[in-house]
Amino acid sequence: MMKINVTNLGRFFELVNECEGSVKLIVAEREPEELKNNRFVQNLLLDTQNGITKLSLETESERDTIRLIRFMMQDGKSLNENSGSSRIYAA
């Protein structure tokens, strides 16, 4: 499981939709919800975004995990910053 902060949800969902395996959103006290190609959940998150969105994710593919981590390392950075606002916690 990864806990991530996302500042660019639109680009993040593009990447999630390109993943080869399942990407599930972990929600407290509920079953994990498939995020890949799930327009309803993606639009709900886009509508409620206010700056940084904190998500807990579970991926099936190691390749997808690496792609999402790479995105998080660059998300929120400007060319003048050494570090962005994204954080990743892997468990």
Side-chain angles (χ1 to χ4, degrees):
M1 181 174 74
M2 296 183 293
K3 293 186 179 186
I4 57 176
N5 296 338
V6 182
T7 58
N8 185 346
L9 275 178
R11 177 63 190 120
F12 175 73
F13 291 143
E14 288 175 13
L15 185 65
V16 166
N17 293 339
E18 294 170 0
C19 285
E20 59 187 31
S22 177
V23 178
K24 294 190 178 180
L25 178 66
I26 308 299
V27 181
E29 300 178 19
R30 296 198 58 174
E31 289 295 314
E33 185 73 37
E34 180 61 52
L35 189 57
K36 180 180 172 184
N37 296 318
N38 187 334
R39 298 290 181 211
F40 176 77
V41 173
Q42 290 179 8
N43 287 334
L44 182 65
L45 289 169
L46 283 168
D47 289 343
T48 60
Q49 181 185 25
N50 187 16
I52 298 174
T53 303
K54 298 178 182 185
L55 302 173
S56 295
L57 301 174
E58 185 176 88
T59 58
E60 288 183 344
S61 164
E62 187 175 311
R63 173 180 270 160
D64 293 338
T65 301
I66 291 168
R67 289 177 69 194
L68 293 173
I69 288 172
R70 284 184 180 151
F71 173 81
M72 292 297 102
M73 291 172 62
Q74 296 175 358
D75 183 40
K77 288 185 182 181
S78 74
L79 295 176
N80 298 326
E81 291 180 303
N82 290 328
S83 61
S85 58
S86 300
R87 297 195 196 313
I88 302 168
Y89 304 96

